[in-house]
Amino acid sequence: MLVRSYLCGRWSDAGGERLPLLNPATEEVVAEVSGGGVDPGSCLDYARNHGGPALRAMSFAERGRLIAAVAARIYEHRDELIEIAIRNGGNTRSDAKFDIDGATATLSAYAKFGESLGSERVLADGDLIQLGRSTRFSGAHIRVPLTGAAVHINAFNFPAWGFAEKAAVALLAGMPVVTKAATSSSLLAFRIIEILAEAHTLPDGVLSFIAGGVGDLLDHLSSQDVVAFTGSSETARRIRGHGNVINRSIRLNVEADSLNAAVLAPDATEGSETFELFLREVARDITQKAGQKCTAIRRILVPSGMLDRVKLELSERLRGIRVGDPAAADVRMGPLATAAQQRDVREGIELLKSEAELVCGDAGRGDVALTGVAEGRGFFQIPVLLCAPDPERASAIHSHEVFGPVVTVMPYGGDPFQAAGLVCRGDGGLVSSVYTDDKDFAVRYVLAIAPFHGRINIGGEKVAEQSPGPGTVMPQLVHGGPGRAGGGEELGGLRGLAFYTQRTAIQGYGPLIEKLVRAGTQ
Ligand code: NAP
């Protein structure tokens, strides 16, 4: 297969250098990427001039129906897409479903939000405000879609969900999308775009796809365009510092690294349902997608008296995970996505080992027999549990994200504020979890860490049956976090539309202001 760009309403393959896409379990080439022939300026113009007007002419309900159609197409091709995620992403079947069904669920949620807004085209932001002696002089705030293109740059780990969670929000807001998948795992995103294009699911210019690098795209952005980026802090810094992005005040949303922490409260003692939930969710989070999840738990804090028990229980669970080629039915954890990713993870483990001792696993494959893997092949890393006995003195544990199946457990004295102080040394996170049924502990802990986090997951016996855990990003809730996590915010139901719309204050004759607020429905 050849992964090509879809620009200006047609497939683009201008030849030039082709990059191989690998199966990370076997290192076999599964496709090639044609990164040539991209003219970002024309692509952005096409989206602005064709896709934008088509979307803005629609009501929210009509855009919602388009989004529902995108979800339906992905669902129709679910089995084929799962196979691609296994081959090009190193995903187990369960990992692949997490990505692809996550995409469908998020699109479906936004389709419903659109339906609920009905025939409107303008979002009212609050009520009419009396500004003068009477309502004759009034004001209001409205939200209208920007007239540029929404550029989406995605990380390698969620080619389907990453595309869908950004596209769903932009499309509902009324902005056309130019999406760029991370090159190494782009086969899945490419196939989704191909499916949508073949079925003419979206109006011309509403969706474009860039294969390979973005070239000089950032130079062509105008002040009505936006960029939503997911990936490493390093790339985020480069985009943030780009001259055109600075000079034209281009709106930029960044979803970056995060040292997500899970805290076990003293009341969640051995044998309790909450303790079991904690172990289950931590073990799943470390190994799902081989730990290559922005929301994965990297640090665990447990009361000192529980440390040995937790080390024992977790290491038993991690040793029991069958690692190997995800195409094999009984494999529960596949390889890392690329050789570079494997190198980074190994180096990261060595760094953490300077502050923490190994409890189980080590950098590399260890002496674990990998299922269905040829000798020396694949980018594998077995699950690793480390223990840092003195978390107050640790530094790298709180600041270096190892983007793989690696977690560090640490003791604390059982005080919620002490736990909060340690967790906040992550300097801004996407999600943090606390496992407790003690309401006082929960309230103190949650309010202390809230300024440093985009989302907080409270696990306990009352929700053990229903909660999907911290790793599942819910479209109804915001995703993002301050500081190290990038300072961005996505999703959150209709809150997500803020990024793609301009909030405009209007003031004047009250009845006219009211008419303007309702303009979209007429
Ligand atoms: P990355 O290397 O920063 O790449 C992310 C994306 O940026 C890719 O599509 C990449 O394209 C593109 N890119 C690279 N250089 C660029 C440039 N100069 N201008 C514009 N785009 C550029 O990150 P990654 O390795 O794919 O992802 C892993 C990181 O993402 C981890 O640190 C993880 O924490 C973070 N992440 C965060 C979230 C979140 O929601 N907060 C979610 C997932 C991952 P190429 O692939 O073509 O280089």
Side-chain angles (χ1 to χ4, degrees):
M1 281 177 93
L2 183 63
V3 173
R4 295 170 293 161
S5 296
Y6 186 70
L7 309 169
C8 305
R10 57 181 183 274
W11 294 102
S12 150
D13 173 22
E17 199 197 351
R18 291 188 174 176
L19 298 166
L21 288 190
L22 303 184
N23 177 332
T26 62
E27 299 181 42
E28 285 162 2
V29 176
V30 294
E32 284 186 319
V33 178
S34 160
V38 177
D39 174 1
S42 310
C43 163
L44 289 170
D45 275 342
Y46 198 83
R48 292 172 193 137
N49 299 332
H50 291 77
L55 283 172
R56 291 195 299 277
M58 292 179 189
S59 67
F60 284 109
E62 286 166 328
R63 290 177 210 153
R65 281 196 284 279
L66 278 187
I67 298 167
V70 173
R73 291 295 88 73
I74 293 177
Y75 188 72
E76 279 163 20
H77 291 263
R78 181 173 183 263
D79 291 342
E80 178 200 349
L81 296 174
I82 287 172
E83 290 308 319
I84 292 175
I86 292 171
R87 277 193 294 128
N88 181 214
N91 288 190
T92 61
R93 188 161 290 275
S94 159
D95 291 341
K97 287 182 197 164
F98 188 60
D99 185 17
I100 293 157
D101 294 344
T104 317
T106 304
L107 288 160
S108 302
Y110 272 86
K112 286 223 165 65
F113 296 142
E115 192 185 320
S116 70
L117 290 172
S119 57
E120 290 177 37
R121 287 183 180 80
V122 172
L123 275 180
D125 184 336
D127 298 327
L128 208 68
I129 309 157
Q130 181 177 329
L131 298 173
R133 281 195 308 279
S134 70
T135 53
R136 176 185 283 264
F137 179 49
S138 292
H141 293 90
I142 54 170
R143 281 201 168 275
V144 290
L146 295 173
T147 60
V151 174
H152 293 164
I153 302 174
N154 287 315
F156 71 83
N157 53 348
F158 283 96
W161 183 85
F163 152 70
E165 59 104 20
K166 286 184 168 59
V169 190
L171 296 180
L172 186 59
M175 282 192 85
V177 170
V178 176
T179 189
K180 184 228 170 311
T183 302
S184 62
S185 61
S186 55
L187 186 55
L188 179 57
F190 162 74
R191 184 59 192 132
I192 290 174
I193 305 299
E194 199 176 45
I195 288 164
L196 298 175
E198 277 166 2
H200 303 287
T201 314
L202 295 166
D204 193 30
V206 164
L207 182 61
S208 309
F209 174 74
I210 297 179
V214 292
D216 62 355
L217 179 136
L218 299 181
D219 291 331
H220 297 271
L221 294 172
S222 78
S223 59
Q224 286 285 307
D225 299 323
V226 301
V227 178
F229 168 80
T230 296
S232 62
S233 307
E234 202 181 309
T235 310
R237 253 193 305 277
R238 234 174 288 150
I239 296 175
R240 224 178 229 133
H242 188 277
N244 190 41
V245 172
I246 295 171
N247 293 337
R248 306 189 97 169
S249 310
I250 308 291
R251 224 179 258 187
L252 172 67
N253 191 76
V254 171
E255 300 291 337
D257 312 350
S258 185
L259 277 296
N260 311 301
V263 170
L264 184 69
D267 67 292
T269 48
E270 208 184 324
S272 68
E273 206 176 333
T274 302
F275 183 65
E276 282 303 311
L277 176 71
F278 158 80
L279 292 173
R280 199 165 61 236
E281 292 195 343
V282 169
R284 183 182 57 209
D285 230 49
I286 300 165
T287 51
Q288 191 172 43
K289 284 207 155 243
Q292 300 166 113
K293 245 175 20 179
C294 54
T295 51
I297 295 166
R298 309 286 176 206
R299 299 176 294 155
I300 307 170
L301 284 162
V302 302
S304 312
M306 296 287 283
L307 185 62
D308 288 342
R309 189 76 226 164
V310 169
K311 280 161 63 175
L312 187 74
E313 293 273 0
L314 275 182
S315 49
E316 263 178 23
R317 285 170 197 241
L318 294 179
R319 284 195 191 100
I321 301 280
R322 190 179 288 270
V323 183
D325 186 337
D330 50 354
V331 163
R332 287 185 44 213
M333 195 182 95
L336 298 169
T338 60
Q341 179 61 18
Q342 186 190 41
R343 195 174 50 244
D344 283 356
V345 167
R346 288 183 176 185
E347 285 171 9
I349 294 169
E350 294 304 334
L351 177 65
L352 300 191
K353 275 164 67 178
S354 65
E355 296 179 352
E357 58 216 33
L358 271 177
V359 180
C360 81
D362 200 353
R365 299 163 182 240
D367 53 4
V368 172
L370 301 177
T371 303
V373 177
E375 183 66 31
R377 285 279 162 184
F379 312 129
F380 289 92
Q381 170 58 55
I382 58 171
V384 173
L385 175 64
L386 297 132
C387 175
D390 188 354
E392 301 283 354
R393 288 181 54 199
S395 163
I397 301 289
H398 302 294
S399 59
H400 186 80
E401 180 198 51
V402 181
F403 208 58
V406 181
V407 69
T408 305
V409 63
M410 296 168 266
Y412 77 105
D415 173 58
F417 297 113
Q418 186 204 359
L422 288 165
V423 168
C424 293
R425 285 185 54 192
D427 197 23
L430 294 173
V431 58
S432 184
S433 296
V434 56
Y435 293 86
T436 185
D437 297 297
D438 175 344
K439 291 197 182 75
D440 288 338
F441 187 99
V443 169
R444 279 183 224 165
Y445 176 73
V446 167
L447 295 182
I449 67 158
F452 291 79
H453 291 85
R455 183 162 59 92
I456 299 168
N457 173 62
I458 308 168
E461 60 184 17
K462 296 278 196 293
V463 294
E465 290 291 310
Q466 289 186 37
S467 164
T472 301
V473 172
M474 319 286 279
Q476 299 85 350
L477 300 181
V478 292
H479 173 60
R484 187 190 309 281
E489 190 178 281
E490 292 181 331
L491 299 170
L494 295 180
R495 290 173 189 84
L497 273 60
F499 181 66
Y500 299 99
T501 52
Q502 177 61 39
R503 177 165 39 204
T504 308
I506 45 175
Q507 61 190 67
Y509 180 46
L512 176 59
I513 300 299
E514 252 186 286
K515 186 176 165 62
L516 268 165
V517 172
R518 291 198 320 270
T521 54
Q522 292 165 359

